[in-house]
Amino acid sequence: MNMDRCSILVTGCTGLLGSNILKTLLEKTNSKIYLLVRARKSIAGKKQIKRILDFLYDNKGGFQQRLRRVQVVCGDITLPYLGLNKREFSSLIFRLNFIYHCAADTNLDISRDDAYRVNVEGTKNIVAIANSSRNLIGFNYISKELIIGLARGR
């Protein structure tokens, strides 16, 4: 399938890696891009995405026409159905062709339980979505915790 004619879900798009993946997808494809954002209301999610894009494009604009291909999905990877109602959830997973899963909590000050909930259980939820999506072609998982590799000492 041509990536220009597909639907892509990106989690973690407000983080460093996810935002750069978003920028690449906006520039290199014509795909419909669904951005899962932790926000209670769509307007708050859209403001987060605009702030990220302003930063990535040095406040020069140039991404406005690309925003027509972006749909903000307010949800949470740790919740059943991503916190969406069943109809919204079913509609989303039916459309998906690719998933870029970058969401994680990399704050080293959080409790082990909170880190497990987001980084392990949240990833399990995204993998379950990938497994239940009939039209999925590709699943990309980016683990930020292992980027620095092995380190010795303090």
Side-chain angles (χ1 to χ4, degrees), residues 43-57:
I43 190 80
K46 287 177 182 176
K47 283 182 182 179
Q48 286 182 45
I49 298 306
K50 182 171 182 330
R51 183 178 45 83
I52 293 294
L53 290 171
D54 280 340
F55 174 77
L56 289 172
Y57 286 92

Side-chain angles (χ1 to χ4, degrees), residues 78 110-124:
T78 66
I110 64 170
S111 72
R112 182 171 189 229
D113 289 343
D114 286 343
Y116 186 87
R117 182 176 54 79
V118 174
N119 299 331
V120 176
E121 295 299 328
T123 297
K124 284 181 181 179

Side-chain angles (χ1 to χ4, degrees), residues 146-152:
L146 299 177
I147 289 173
I148 61 169
L150 299 176
R152 293 181 189 218

Side-chain angles (χ1 to χ4, degrees), residues 82-99:
L82 304 176
L84 306 173
N85 67 46
K86 285 185 181 181
R87 185 180 51 79
E88 291 170 321
F89 179 78
S90 295
S91 176
L92 175 65
I93 67 167
F94 177 76
R95 292 184 179 117
L96 293 181
N97 303 117
F98 291 91
I99 296 174

